[in-house]
Amino acid sequence: MDERLKKQIDFILEIDKEKNIFRQTSLSGHGRKENDAEHAWHMAIAAFLLQEYSNEPVDILRVILMCLIHDVVEIDAGDTYAYDTEGLKTQKAREDAAKERIYSLLPEDQKQKLIEIFDEFEENQTKEAKFAHAMDNLQPLLLNNSNNGSDWKEHEVTATQIYKRQTKTKDGSVKLFELTDRLIKENIDKGNIKY
């Protein structure tokens, strides 16, 4: 096997480990906790299906790739729960180290391309990154809603915390933020989310 192909295969096998990184969000219908690979796949499909609701037309392939690779770094860095204030303090440093190690398995040109796309997602300045972030916020919210807020209740997440996180949804899609807002209010009324 030539060196380029070997590096690509090594990376493909390495990212299989993403299936072992479990998140705090349960599958719909009160299932087990989802893993990072399931989350990435789910939001990538959602991005394709919901692209018409982006605030601006997007390069959907780039958005899908952002969705698929944004949590690969958690193989080393671990999942940082969205509402874990202590974990969030060290998240960037952990993920930057992981990004360098994991993407360095690839040939240099592909390493640079995926790092560029990962960094674009993290910086959240382009229309593609903003829409990808909307998917990253919407997907777990939909699962939480399907489970009568069980994950929010388990972690005692407040409406203020959820709305703060969902500001990125509005940046990518006002229409999907309207859906988000309605679902949050419904869950407050049901007692699934505290103020």
Side-chain angles (χ1 to χ4, degrees):
M1 185 179 333
D2 70 39
E3 186 62 23
R4 182 175 179 85
L5 180 56
K6 181 183 182 316
K7 286 182 173 189
Q8 291 164 328
I9 297 299
D10 288 347
F11 178 80
I12 289 166
L13 289 173
E14 182 68 16
I15 65 171
D16 184 63
K17 294 176 182 175
E18 192 176 5
K19 297 173 188 172
N20 292 316
I21 308 302
F22 286 88
R23 298 167 43 83
Q24 295 300 312
T25 308
S26 299
L27 300 176
S28 60
H30 298 285
R32 64 167 167 74
K33 300 291 186 188
E34 73 175 345
N35 67 46
D36 272 357
E38 292 165 329
H39 165 65
W41 160 81
H42 207 198
M43 63 185 271
I45 295 289
F48 176 78
L49 295 173
L50 303 175
Q51 66 184 295
E52 65 194 83
Y53 304 112
S54 176
N55 289 341
E56 301 177 68
V58 292
D59 174 348
I60 196 60
L61 183 56
R62 191 167 186 88
V63 172
I64 288 170
L65 194 50
M66 280 182 197
C67 292
L68 292 173
I69 69 162
H70 79 290
D71 278 344
V72 166
V73 294
E74 293 185 2
I75 292 168
D76 288 358
D79 176 57
T80 304
Y81 185 51
Y83 306 107
D84 175 4
T85 52
E86 286 305 307
L88 290 170
K89 291 176 184 176
T90 61
Q91 181 180 18
K92 182 170 176 15
R94 288 181 285 116
E95 290 186 354
D96 282 348
K99 172 180 70 174
E100 183 58 32
R101 185 196 72 78
I102 296 166
Y103 290 121
S104 289
L105 297 172
L106 284 166
E108 189 62 25
D109 62 316
Q110 290 182 326
K111 170 191 173 183
Q112 291 308 320
K113 186 65 173 174
L114 291 188
I115 285 177
E116 172 193 312
I117 291 169
F118 176 87
D119 288 345
E120 180 181 343
F121 175 82
E122 290 298 308
E123 292 162 9
N124 198 36
Q125 297 300 307
T126 65
K127 59 188 179 179
E128 285 78 16
K130 290 175 183 179
F131 189 63
H133 271 282
M135 297 301 99
D136 196 27
N137 290 339
L138 179 65
Q139 188 267 348
L141 184 126
L142 291 175
L143 294 182
N144 268 303
N145 181 64
S146 78
N147 291 322
N148 292 316
S150 63
D151 301 320
W152 291 319
K153 288 187 249 182
E154 176 186 343
H155 295 284
E156 299 180 350
V157 178
T158 66
T160 302
Q161 290 173 296
I162 296 169
Y163 275 116
K164 181 179 177 186
R165 178 169 175 76
Q166 291 297 330
T167 58
K168 288 182 182 176
T169 302
K170 190 183 238 180
D171 293 341
S173 173
V174 169
K175 179 76 171 174
L176 295 176
F177 179 78
E178 290 168 3
L179 169 64
T180 295
D181 183 46
R182 182 173 58 79
L183 293 176
I184 293 169
K185 287 175 178 167
E186 286 175 7
N187 278 279
I188 291 169
D189 290 345
K190 292 177 187 173
N192 296 335
I193 300 172
K194 297 186 291 185
Y195 247 108

